[in-house]
Amino acid sequence: MSEKVSDVGPVAAATVIAVITPDLCDTFPEVQVVEPGFRNFGAIDNFGGEIVTVKCFEDNSVVKQQVDLPGFGRVMVVDGGGSKRNALLGDMLAQKAASNGWAGLIIYGSIRDADVIAKIALGVQALGTHPRKTEKHDVGNLNIAVTFGGVTFYPGHFVYADNNGIIVSEKALL
């Protein structure tokens, strides 16, 4: 693993922001747009924030470690290699992320417990669902550049998502 996000200060609740990606694209034409294919699963269908990246393949150990830490309104971008053979997020981790102030998770892979996650106050976008959980081997990287959907996500940059799509910016737009 690369670095660990420090666990300092009280948990900051995620701030709900109105994200409308078409309007943001019109106002900021320089943003990058992720290729279509993601679906909203969380109770919050538009969200955004500073990016924290996780790169893992069929092992959500690093995701589990991160949702246990304060999110401070950030968005965890998880590069699961596009695997649809198991789920990188389930209801318990989603609830922990919401409780710890994460604005959302964007998962290049699958989730499970979709009906429960749909009731959790968290933004969640993923490629689809799968009922099987991952094996835990403590394999994965934190806060490295990850690329999928035609876009490279850098830790510290910003991501915004709604039912229209996902956009990425080097700077905060909202």
Side-chain angles (χ1 to χ4, degrees):
M1 276 182 256
S2 296
E3 68 180 87
K4 184 172 183 175
V5 176
S6 65
D7 186 3
V8 294
V11 174
T15 303
V16 177
I17 56 174
V19 172
I20 302 171
T21 58
D23 291 350
L24 290 173
C25 284
D26 291 350
T27 304
F28 303 98
E30 71 276 11
V31 300
Q32 294 185 304
V33 179
V34 177
E35 294 168 354
F38 288 82
R39 286 182 36 211
N40 261 320
F41 290 97
I44 297 175
D45 64 4
N46 68 88
F47 60 98
E50 185 178 350
I51 296 171
V52 171
T53 63
V54 172
K55 185 172 181 73
C56 58
F57 185 75
E58 299 182 358
D59 180 344
N60 70 346
S61 300
V62 178
V63 174
K64 183 178 186 311
Q65 292 165 5
Q66 291 306 297
V67 299
D68 281 336
L69 300 174
F72 301 110
R74 295 173 296 176
V75 176
M76 191 182 313
V77 175
V78 181
D79 179 356
S83 175
K84 296 180 182 176
R85 297 190 301 197
N86 55 34
L88 295 172
L89 181 75
D91 60 342
M92 291 187 294
L93 295 184
Q95 185 58 60
K96 184 67 113 169
S99 297
N100 283 335
W102 290 88
L105 289 93
I106 296 171
I107 299 177
Y108 186 52
S110 299
I111 68 156
R112 68 188 208 159
D113 304 312
D115 294 335
V116 177
I117 289 175
K119 298 174 186 165
I120 297 173
L122 182 69
V124 176
Q125 287 211 13
L127 297 177
T129 60
H130 195 288
R132 179 170 287 131
K133 67 181 179 178
T134 69
E135 298 290 325
K136 306 283 189 293
H137 300 289
D138 292 324
V139 176
N141 294 293
L142 176 65
N143 282 332
I144 63 169
V146 297
T147 302
F148 58 83
V151 172
T152 299
F153 299 82
Y154 294 96
H157 286 188
F158 292 81
V159 64
Y160 301 92
D162 65 6
N163 285 321
N164 297 292
I166 302 169
I167 64 171
V168 179
S169 172
E170 291 181 19
K171 63 182 181 182
L173 304 179
L174 298 172

